[in-house]
Amino acid sequence: MALNVLVVDDSAVMRAMVIKTLRLSGLPLGEVHEASNGEEALRQLDAHWIDLALIDLNMPVMDGEALLACLRRNPETAQLPVIVVSTEGSTTRIEALRRQGAAFVHKPFTPEQLRGVILEVTGVADASDLDEGLGPGCGPDF
Amino acid sequence: MQATWTRALAQAAALTFEELCFVVAEPQPPTAQGDVRADMAVAVAFSGPFAGVLVVQLEQALLEVLAANMLGDEAPPSAAQQEDALKEIANVICGNVLPRLAGAEQVFRLQAPRRVSVALPGAGVAEVVLWIEGWPVQVQLYAEVPAAVEEPSP
């Protein structure tokens, strides 16, 4: 089954980096949607079926914490797999995110780190099945 | 305190350039002289246990290289992409240096990065110049640090 993914970040460059990592990861990707803040993300979620959301924290209009709270309050998205991709370094905030069922990837990340968390969260494939998709040395080719 | 902060700033910046931009950033070589020439500067304001601003400034030619590395595309990055790349670089450096200075449990709020004048008045509490592929990049940290956050005297 192909995964439909939503990437939420106010930086277009960072969205491009995350999407490139997703494409290199060997994951069975379906549609990839983008949003630059939490409100846009909610509109994308209304319009499309999403299997996995990767969200930044510090964004204008609606930040990632508010978006995550909205997702968890809505029965339709309460169980949506979410990975927060952020520069956040506070263990206090990261623990609060984990309590809401979000995984966490710290920026800067290597493609391998992001892939590992995606595999853990989605459980779509065993990592050993995907080694050809994103092998060692993929970093400089990002 | 200044040496500790400068070291933390250099570590956070080097990590960011290595993992976000896929380049090696080295400390200022002893032969380097003069001020860093900068075509663009970006600032990230933050608040929390202490408040301040982190500024990253560099030359256009280096920014083109960094943005191209981040995007990994054949086409050269547009001016908007270059500015966005520098904003993300500054954001990531800031997010990585603050826990090194205040402790991992402390909570800071970072504002959206914004372009600023390359000529900032006054001196920061920490400043590093790193060299990437022959170009300098300057990272400055301005902060109002309460006494409780400062290092105790030896």
Side-chain angles (χ1 to χ4, degrees):
Chain A
M1 184 191 79
L3 287 174
N4 291 346
V5 178
L6 174 61
V7 180
V8 190
D9 198 306
D10 57 332
S11 164
V13 169
M14 182 51 67
R15 292 199 304 273
M17 293 183 75
V18 170
I19 291 169
K20 184 153 275 188
T21 300
L22 288 169
R23 297 201 189 286
L24 289 169
S25 71
L27 284 165
L29 275 187
E31 298 170 5
V32 178
H33 300 280
E34 299 181 48
S36 61
N37 61 61
E39 281 191 5
E40 276 185 25
L42 291 174
R43 285 197 291 273
Q44 293 279 21
L45 283 156
D46 271 345
H48 307 282
W49 178 263
I50 300 295
D51 299 298
L52 170 67
L54 296 102
I55 66 176
D56 187 20
L57 283 185
N58 295 316
M59 295 182 290
V61 185
M62 177 190 281
D63 66 23
E65 282 178 308
L67 171 60
L68 183 59
C70 279
L71 295 177
R72 294 310 183 228
R73 278 197 302 269
N74 183 340
E76 290 184 10
T77 55
Q79 301 300 320
L80 175 69
V82 171
I83 300 173
V84 173
V85 184
S86 168
T87 62
E88 182 58 58
S90 164
T91 52
T92 307
R93 275 183 97 185
I94 294 170
E95 274 312 306
L97 296 166
R98 290 194 199 283
R99 281 197 296 275
Q100 294 188 74
F104 185 80
V105 172
H106 189 261
K107 294 179 187 174
F109 57 82
T110 64
E112 291 81 2
Q113 287 168 339
L114 184 58
R115 181 185 81 149
V117 175
I118 291 171
L119 289 173
E120 188 181 311
V121 167
T122 60
V124 293
D126 184 83
S128 60
D129 295 337
L130 301 175
D131 281 347
E132 289 179 11
L134 185 66
C138 62
D141 296 326
F142 202 98
Chain B
M1 185 189 84
Q2 190 170 21
T4 306
W5 282 48
T6 301
R7 188 164 53 248
L9 188 59
Q11 290 170 344
L15 174 74
T16 299
F17 286 116
E18 183 177 335
E19 294 196 352
L20 190 67
C21 311
F22 311 112
V23 292
V24 175
E26 298 175 308
Q28 188 170 18
T31 54
Q33 292 182 0
D35 294 333
V36 173
R37 178 174 161 265
D39 300 315
M40 188 184 290
V42 161
V44 180
F46 57 87
S47 58
F50 55 88
V53 178
L54 180 132
V55 180
V56 181
Q57 51 187 346
L58 43 63
E59 293 181 36
Q60 184 70 35
L62 175 57
L63 181 54
E64 289 174 19
V65 171
L66 299 179
N69 280 7
M70 291 168 75
L71 288 163
D73 291 335
E74 294 290 325
S78 67
Q81 287 173 320
Q82 290 175 35
E83 181 174 329
D84 189 25
L86 183 55
K87 287 178 175 175
E88 189 62 21
I89 289 167
N91 183 52
V92 173
I93 294 174
C94 191
N96 276 271
V97 75
L98 294 176
R100 293 169 191 259
L101 301 174
E105 70 285 352
Q106 299 291 344
V107 177
F108 287 91
R109 299 283 171 180
L110 276 59
Q111 293 182 14
R114 58 189 172 84
R115 275 189 77 165
V116 294
S117 163
V118 294
L120 284 171
V125 292
E127 176 180 320
V128 296
V129 176
L130 299 174
W131 286 75
I132 299 169
E133 299 186 6
W135 287 292
V137 55
Q138 187 174 41
V139 186
Q140 298 163 298
L141 183 64
Y142 300 80
E144 293 179 5
V145 186
V149 180
E150 292 188 26
E151 285 187 336
S153 301

